[in-house]
Amino acid sequence: MDLRVQVIILAVGLLCLSVPLMDAQLQVGFYDSTCGLAENIVKDEVQKAVLGNAGLGAGLIRMHFHDCFVRGCDGSVLIDSTSGSTAEKDSPINNPSLRGFEIIDRAKTRIEAQCAGVVSCADILAFAARDSVAITGGFGYNVPAGRRDGRVSLSSESLSNLPPPTSDVNQLTQIFSNKGLSQSDMVTLSGAHTLGRSHCTSFTNRLYSFNSTTPQDPSLDPTYAAQLKQQCPQGSTDASLVVPMDPTSPNRFDSAYYSNILANRGLFTSDQTLISNPTTATQVRRNAQLDAMFKQSFGQAMVKMGRIGVLTGTNGEIRTNCRVIN
């Protein structure tokens, strides 16, 4: 055999070995022959919900992210707490901010009526996140499916795996790297903050107690800070107070999030920090200028994130009720 051919075969073999098995087992159209209406049912439920309350689209995207970063994309974020165990959804970093669980419930009920025991809750959540992006103005993308549902959900694991809003760019880069995601993926996926809302408690430290000498974060635009102080008064104990993540277009999936950062109007420390590093700052500027490119990149990054730690084959289960293990 020609030496060059042997080298090529060896290189291809090594490349195949470097690809996690889970990637090969997820595939677009996984349910085409076993539950062909599954993705349409999810899209219908998401569309009805988001048209009634645009913020629920942000909730579903965030829920998928929080699912994948804890134990992988296994639907564990959907499991309810029990008397003996506090689940992920009730951890301080998720409760009360996560929402949209009832949308997943409705989709699952309809899918079970069509094809019982076939479609996982983890896949339903991945489809719902994709549909939320598309319905609110982003680009749709194909979701490889075939995930199985996990059987464990622990509140403590949310706190140790999810990036807090106080993270700086180096911490964010490391947290995402731990999940097999690049710094570029991190900047792209942060763009999900173009949708939705935040509770005041997630950022008021930037307004009133930034450090021992400077109460207000100097990197925060003063006019924006004054606006936030009106919406989130100092000393308020009202846990229901919320503000939009992107005040310019809170219900539209676009690149305005990055424009806000360039104007020093990133809501979280973890948002504004993206311009503190030359490499990430360049990507922020590019995303702000090229809306379509950002939307395309976001879909690609979501597919990549959707492969984190998935259960496939005979691992895990197909939950009958997304809130309860079988």
Side-chain angles (χ1 to χ4, degrees):
M1 182 181 295
D2 186 277
L3 179 60
R4 288 173 297 177
V5 175
Q6 293 182 53
V7 170
I8 292 171
I9 292 174
L10 176 61
V12 171
L14 290 172
L15 178 62
C16 290
L17 287 173
S18 70
V19 178
L21 183 62
M22 62 184 182
D23 289 358
Q25 293 185 357
L26 295 183
Q27 57 182 296
V28 174
F30 183 83
Y31 298 110
D32 284 355
S33 62
T34 56
C35 194
L37 292 177
E39 293 193 48
N40 290 333
I41 290 172
V42 175
K43 182 178 180 180
D44 182 57
E45 289 298 334
V46 172
Q47 192 155 19
K48 288 188 293 188
V50 173
L51 289 177
N53 181 349
L56 289 172
L60 290 169
I61 297 168
R62 186 164 184 256
M63 192 188 300
H64 182 42
F65 174 86
H66 282 222
D67 184 39
C68 292
F69 265 57
V70 183
R71 288 189 169 266
C73 311
D74 67 346
S76 56
V77 74
L78 303 170
I79 296 174
D80 283 347
S81 295
T82 65
S83 58
S85 177
T86 304
E88 293 170 29
K89 64 166 59 170
D90 290 320
S91 71
I93 202 168
N94 285 333
N95 187 8
S97 60
L98 284 190
R99 53 185 176 150
F101 294 103
E102 68 284 351
I103 303 168
I104 304 301
D105 292 339
R106 289 195 292 265
K108 180 63 169 174
T109 298
R110 288 178 58 187
I111 289 172
E112 285 295 301
Q114 292 277 336
C115 31
V118 174
V119 182
S120 70
C121 299
D123 277 342
I124 291 173
L125 180 52
F127 296 148
R130 180 267 313 277
D131 296 333
S132 296
V133 171
I135 290 167
T136 55
F139 291 169
Y141 52 91
N142 291 324
V143 174
R147 299 166 187 82
R148 305 265 294 177
D149 295 323
R151 297 174 55 84
V152 177
S153 183
L154 300 172
S155 170
S156 59
E157 293 186 342
S158 293
L159 293 171
S160 60
N161 282 280
L162 292 168
T166 54
S167 303
D168 64 31
V169 68
N170 292 327
Q171 292 167 329
L172 289 170
T173 300
Q174 185 60 57
I175 291 169
F176 277 69
S177 176
N178 292 344
K179 305 300 178 183
L181 299 172
S182 68
Q183 186 179 71
S184 177
D185 295 328
M186 179 270 290
V187 176
T188 299
L189 291 170
S190 294
H193 285 177
T194 189
L195 291 174
R197 63 189 188 180
S198 167
H199 288 78
C200 292
T201 51
S202 294
F203 61 85
T204 47
N205 66 300
R206 300 187 70 200
L207 302 176
Y208 303 115
S209 56
F210 183 64
N211 60 38
S212 59
T213 58
T214 308
Q216 183 174 301
D217 185 344
S219 71
L220 191 59
D221 173 66
T223 302
Y224 184 45
Q227 175 186 330
L228 292 173
K229 286 180 177 179
Q230 288 186 334
Q231 296 170 294
C232 303
Q234 186 173 17
S236 172
T237 58
D238 186 351
S240 67
L241 289 178
V242 294
V243 301
M245 294 292 299
D246 169 10
T248 57
S249 53
N251 298 322
R252 187 168 68 247
F253 192 95
D254 57 25
S255 59
Y257 164 79
Y258 299 102
S259 300
N260 292 337
I261 292 174
L262 293 174
N264 293 321
R265 293 188 168 211
L267 186 61
F268 294 162
T269 298
S270 58
D271 297 320
Q272 197 59 46
T273 191
L274 297 182
I275 59 167
S276 66
N277 170 291
T279 303
T280 57
T282 297
Q283 190 176 347
V284 167
R285 287 190 291 271
R286 186 168 63 245
N287 287 352
Q289 295 168 354
L290 302 172
D291 183 78
M293 187 204 71
F294 157 62
K295 290 176 179 177
Q296 182 177 11
S297 298
F298 187 84
Q300 294 168 348
M302 287 287 279
V303 170
K304 186 176 178 181
M305 183 188 77
R307 292 192 169 105
I308 297 174
V310 296
L311 301 171
T312 57
T314 57
N315 296 310
E317 63 183 18
I318 303 297
R319 253 177 258 147
T320 302
N321 178 342
C322 291
R323 294 175 179 265
V324 184
I325 62 174
N326 291 346

